[in-house]
Amino acid sequence: MSRIVVGYDGSAYAQAALLWARDEAVRSGAPIEVLHADEWPATAPPMVPLPLLRPDRTVADVIDETLERAVATVRKTHPSVDVTTRAVRGHAAAALIDRSRDARMIVLGGHGHSVVAGLLGSVISAVSAHARCPVVVVRGVPVPGAPVVAGADGSALTMPVLTFAAGQAAARRVPLRVIRAAAEQETPGAPPAVIRDRFRGLTVQVEETLEHPAAALARASAAAQLLVVGSRGHGPVAGLLLGSVSQHVLRHAACTVAVVHRDPPAD
């Protein structure tokens, strides 16, 4: 089974991402990989000899200890979860995007409600736009029983988004709330109908909105435990499932956000 890859630097935000990934591993049975990217010398002050600032052995020991603590955190409460670590040299965004080719999902910690505002080069912004698998940005404290919310606009990404969201809702045993453009008409073969047929027993609530989709989804996130949107990551920015809306909800959603790019990888 493909791995849940957690971007981890030991911060409180990374710790929240690790705990979310642990719970997802328990639900799905998937293994976890905790990935740390050592970005030196990109983060070094200019005009200072690098060897004076960085004793490599000491830094390696610190990274190893950080990753060992992450493993211990998972195994303390769920010793049966398969968790491994990986340390790489290079930019975090590039490393995570590369790992996304084989990952089940990438999990990152969010930084409040301005997670990517004005930071086009940030890890979250880059990974959410260019990863090859779903990217989960963790924030807030999930309310037990709160629904999973998904955005739909009838584009080619609607089915991957709803399939991912329905799987998450079914695993949590909570309703799936689908918010879609009012102009989209549901037919027997439309994605919400297909989802109801595929996930028997899952409560699917479909709501039409005349509100701007970004605003509607951000508002719905206040009463959700997970918000799922889509992003192509390349090309023109338009529509409910493309860059403008996904980046808006990453900035403003009150709950954890999952950005889906294509069909989830097979186990």
Side-chain angles (χ1 to χ4, degrees):
M1 181 179 288
S2 52
R3 292 186 173 272
I4 302 167
V5 177
V6 184
Y8 193 80
D9 61 5
S11 68
Y13 303 112
Q15 189 73 2
L18 178 65
L19 296 179
W20 193 97
R22 178 202 63 190
D23 294 343
E24 176 65 16
V26 172
R27 286 189 291 265
S28 66
I32 295 173
E33 177 180 287
V34 183
L35 185 148
H36 177 90
D38 180 5
E39 295 189 319
W40 189 277
T43 56
M47 306 304 292
V48 177
L50 298 183
L52 297 180
L53 291 176
R54 180 191 171 99
D56 277 351
R57 185 64 258 160
T58 301
V59 173
D61 289 343
V62 170
I63 292 172
D64 287 345
E65 291 173 3
T66 298
L67 293 175
E68 287 170 4
R69 286 196 299 271
V71 172
T73 295
V74 174
R75 290 181 174 163
K76 181 179 180 180
T77 55
H78 295 81
S80 63
V81 171
D82 180 354
V83 54
T84 58
T85 64
R86 177 180 296 216
V88 298
R89 279 281 185 97
H91 289 284
L96 289 162
I97 291 168
D98 180 66
R99 289 295 295 126
S100 75
R101 300 175 186 274
D102 302 314
R104 181 184 184 90
M105 65 180 67
I106 301 291
V107 184
L108 304 171
H111 298 69
H113 291 278
S114 58
V115 63
V116 294
L119 300 176
L120 296 181
S122 71
V123 172
I124 290 173
S125 182
V127 176
S128 64
H130 299 292
R132 300 299 182 89
C133 67
V135 177
V136 177
V137 180
V138 178
R139 71 153 64 88
V141 178
V143 178
V148 171
V149 173
D153 68 351
S155 74
L157 273 172
T158 293
M159 184 56 76
V161 166
L162 293 188
T163 299
F164 181 88
Q168 290 289 318
R172 291 168 168 78
R173 299 181 179 179
V174 299
L176 171 62
R177 182 182 173 195
V178 179
I179 296 178
R180 65 181 189 181
E184 183 190 351
Q185 298 298 316
E186 183 171 0
T187 65
V194 173
I195 290 298
R196 286 190 179 98
D197 185 62
R198 178 173 174 181
F199 292 87
R200 297 286 185 176
L202 175 64
T203 299
V204 181
Q205 305 162 347
V206 180
E207 303 174 22
E208 296 182 348
T209 181
L210 297 175
E211 191 177 5
H212 189 282
L217 290 169
R219 180 171 51 80
S221 72
Q225 62 175 284
L226 177 66
L227 174 62
V228 185
V229 294
S231 176
R232 291 177 182 170
H234 304 281
V237 177
L240 176 57
L241 297 178
L242 304 186
S244 60
V245 171
S246 62
Q247 293 298 311
H248 179 88
V249 298
L250 282 172
R251 294 185 185 100
H252 300 292
C255 68
T256 295
V257 177
V259 181
V260 175
H261 300 80
R262 57 173 175 81
D263 290 317
D267 293 339

